[in-house]
Amino acid sequence: MHKLGVIIPYRNRYEHLEEFKTSIVQYLESKNINFKIIIVEQDDAKLFNRGMLLNIGFKEAKDMGCDYVVFHDVDMLPINVDYSYTDKPLHLATHLQENDYEISFFDYFGGVTLFNKADFEKINGYSNEYLGWGFEDDDLLIRCLESDLELDV
C-alpha cells in the first residue's frame, strides 16, 4: 500500500494551519489514503524559504516510509481532489475558488503538487535559492521539463 507524505510549509499562519489540518485529515481518511502530515516551519526573522522547507519535508517523508508526497500550501483546502499515487508529477491546484475555479495562468505549477519519490529525486527537489514568495514553483516546473518528466497538469 502506498503512503502519502503531506508536506506543509508553514510560517505565522496559525488559523490557516488549524483549519487545514482538520480538513486534510478528514478528507484523506474519507478517501482511505494512507498518509502522514509533515509541517515544516520557519520561525526565524529571515525571508521565507519555501523551497528549502519543502526539501526538508521531503526528507522527513522518506524517513517515515512515504513513497509519494504532496507539497501543499496551508491556505488551499481540498474540495474534489485525487491524492492517489501517480507515476508522474501532478498539479492539483488547477481550479481555485478565488479564480472561479479556473486556472490562474498557463504555467502555474504551485500551491499543491504531487510527486512520487523517484521523480522528485530525479529533479533534485526544489531550489533552496529563492527567498520570499514566488519563483520556486516556476523553477520546479523547469526542472521537471528539463528532466523530460511527463506532467499531469
Side-chain angles (χ1 to χ4, degrees), residues 35-103:
F35 68 95
K36 289 290 185 182
I37 302 285
I38 302 155
I39 300 165
V40 281
E41 180 177 10
Q42 181 178 337
D43 64 356
D44 60 21
K46 296 178 183 172
L47 290 173
F48 193 65
N49 191 328
R50 184 174 177 270
M52 182 176 60
L53 290 176
L54 294 172
N55 288 332
I56 292 167
F58 178 75
K59 182 183 179 318
E60 288 296 313
K62 279 182 28 179
D63 291 347
M64 294 176 158
C66 298
D67 60 337
Y68 73 119
V69 296
V70 63
F71 302 105
H72 214 302
D73 283 358
V74 72
D75 59 352
M76 294 186 164
L77 303 177
I79 295 173
N80 185 17
V81 183
D82 185 359
Y83 290 96
S84 301
Y85 181 86
T86 180
D87 61 354
K88 55 187 165 187
L90 176 62
H91 186 223
L92 296 173
T94 57
H95 294 83
L96 306 177
Q97 182 177 10
E98 62 198 35
N99 295 321
D100 294 325
Y101 297 101
E102 294 299 325
I103 196 161

Side-chain angles (χ1 to χ4, degrees), residues 80-141:
N80 185 17
V81 183
D82 185 359
Y83 290 96
S84 301
Y85 181 86
T86 180
D87 61 354
K88 55 187 165 187
L90 176 62
H91 186 223
L92 296 173
T94 57
H95 294 83
L96 306 177
Q97 182 177 10
E98 62 198 35
N99 295 321
D100 294 325
Y101 297 101
E102 294 299 325
I103 196 161
S104 55
F105 55 90
F106 180 72
D107 289 332
Y108 178 60
F109 194 66
V112 185
T113 52
L114 191 139
F115 279 85
N116 64 56
K117 186 172 72 170
D119 283 346
F120 193 71
E121 289 174 336
K122 180 178 182 178
I123 65 168
N124 197 27
Y126 279 90
S127 170
N128 291 331
E129 301 298 316
Y130 297 100
L131 300 175
W133 291 99
F135 301 114
E136 74 282 341
D137 293 329
D138 297 333
D139 184 85
L140 184 73
L141 178 59

